[in-house]
Amino acid sequence: MTFSPLHNIKKNNALPTLFIVGDNDKLVPLKTAQKFKDLTEENGATCILKVYKNQEHGFFNYKPNSNNKYYKITLKELESFLHKLGYLQK
């Protein structure tokens, strides 16, 4: 069975989404990310698309003993998104 969030967006079941992608992602092309955003919004939910220049798939993943600045930056993006939805409080 194939799982595709893009192909499972339906009216009244779209969820608020923070979509973080690099513009050099070979697994999830930017046009796919934009289509996901468009479909999500057409079906009544918020989708914030954050695109990071010169980054590949998984650029923000935590890597032990590394100084991956994008891990912390995108974690703050997620925290802000969850605050806006009311899932986290300051």
Side-chain angles (χ1 to χ4, degrees):
M1 177 186 238
T2 303
F3 175 76
S4 169
L6 177 65
H7 295 107
N8 286 290
I9 298 171
K10 296 178 179 67
K11 193 157 188 78
N12 299 323
N13 84 341
L15 299 173
T17 304
L18 172 61
F19 199 139
I20 298 173
V21 66
D23 65 354
N24 286 337
D25 193 323
K26 305 284 189 271
L27 295 175
V28 182
L30 196 49
K31 70 179 187 177
T32 301
Q34 185 62 53
K35 184 173 182 177
F36 181 92
K37 175 182 172 49
D38 293 344
L39 282 172
T40 298
E41 290 177 344
E42 286 172 19
N43 284 283
T46 299
C47 184
I48 297 173
L49 177 60
K50 297 285 184 169
V51 181
Y52 286 80
K53 288 199 169 286
N54 302 316
Q55 298 304 310
E56 297 179 355
H57 191 79
F59 70 95
F60 53 81
N61 289 344
Y62 174 76
K63 298 169 185 104
N65 303 318
S66 82
N67 191 16
N68 183 357
K69 70 179 183 178
Y70 293 109
Y71 174 75
K72 290 182 181 177
I73 290 170
T74 56
L75 202 55
K76 287 184 186 218
E77 293 272 6
L78 175 59
E79 185 178 14
S80 174
F81 179 71
L82 293 173
H83 278 290
K84 287 177 186 172
L85 293 175
Y87 294 133
L88 291 179
Q89 296 188 5
K90 295 183 180 190

